Amino acid sequence: MLRITVVFNDATIQLVETEKNDLSIGRAYDNDIIIDNLGVSQYHARVYREDDHYIVEDLNSTNGTLYEGRKIQSKEIKKNIPLTIRILKYAIHFNLSSMTKKAQPVTECEMVKTPPEITTTFKL
C-alpha cells in the first residue's frame, strides 16, 4: 500500500492510500493528486509502480520537483523507507508498506469429499 501525504504550512491537505499502478500529480483536475497553485504544472509529476516499488518522476515541470533541495528527474520509493519530495512549498511524503501480490491463477482444486453435516433447519 502506498500512502501519500501532501503538506502545506505544516497542515496535511491531502492523504491518499492506494495500490494503483500509476498516479499523476499536478494542477489539472484530472490528476489523482491535485495541487491548486499556479506554480505547479498542469501535469507536474507521476508516480508509477515498478515491480516491488514505486518511482516518482518529474514530467519536465516548469518549477521542478525537489529531493533534499535538488531538482530531480526521478526517485525510487522503497518499501518501509519514507521519502519526501517538494513541489514549491508543498511537501509530499511517500510511505510504501507491503504491497498486495497479484492474484495467482488456480491450478488445482481439491473437491470436498464429504458434505458438511446439517445441524440447523429452518421452516419457511
Side-chain angles (χ1 to χ4, degrees):
M1 176 77 62
L2 180 63
R3 182 182 182 119
I4 304 168
T5 309
V6 181
V7 177
F8 182 74
N9 287 338
D10 296 323
T12 298
I13 59 171
Q14 285 185 63
L15 177 61
V16 176
E17 290 183 336
T18 185
E19 288 190 7
K20 284 179 69 172
N21 290 328
D22 205 320
L23 296 104
S24 58
I25 301 170
R27 193 175 74 241
Y29 287 102
D30 58 345
N31 284 292
D32 297 290
I33 298 173
I34 300 167
I35 301 176
D36 190 16
N37 183 306
L38 291 175
V40 176
S41 296
Q42 292 279 342
Y43 302 97
H44 199 100
R46 84 182 260 243
V47 180
Y48 61 94
R49 186 185 299 206
E50 191 170 275
D51 299 321
D52 64 344
H53 61 275
Y54 281 86
I55 304 287
V56 60
E57 174 184 46
D58 184 82
L59 297 176
N60 297 314
S61 63
T62 302
N63 291 314
T65 301
L66 304 177
Y67 173 71
E68 295 184 349
R70 294 191 176 127
K71 280 190 178 184
I72 58 164
Q73 185 56 43
S74 66
K75 186 75 179 162
E76 183 177 356
I77 303 167
K78 298 178 184 175
K79 184 178 166 187
N80 298 323
I81 301 174
L83 173 75
T84 300
I85 63 166
R86 293 198 171 271
I87 297 176
L88 301 175
K89 293 184 177 184
Y90 297 86
I92 304 174
H93 306 287
F94 298 94
N95 221 323
L96 178 60
S97 59
S98 298
M99 294 171 49
T100 304
K101 294 183 179 182
K102 293 181 182 175
Q104 298 297 317
V106 176
T107 55
E108 291 182 27
C109 291
E110 185 179 318
M111 295 191 61
V112 176
K113 293 178 176 52
T114 56
E117 184 180 328
I118 297 173
T119 57
T120 307
T121 55
F122 295 93
K123 280 189 174 185
L124 299 177

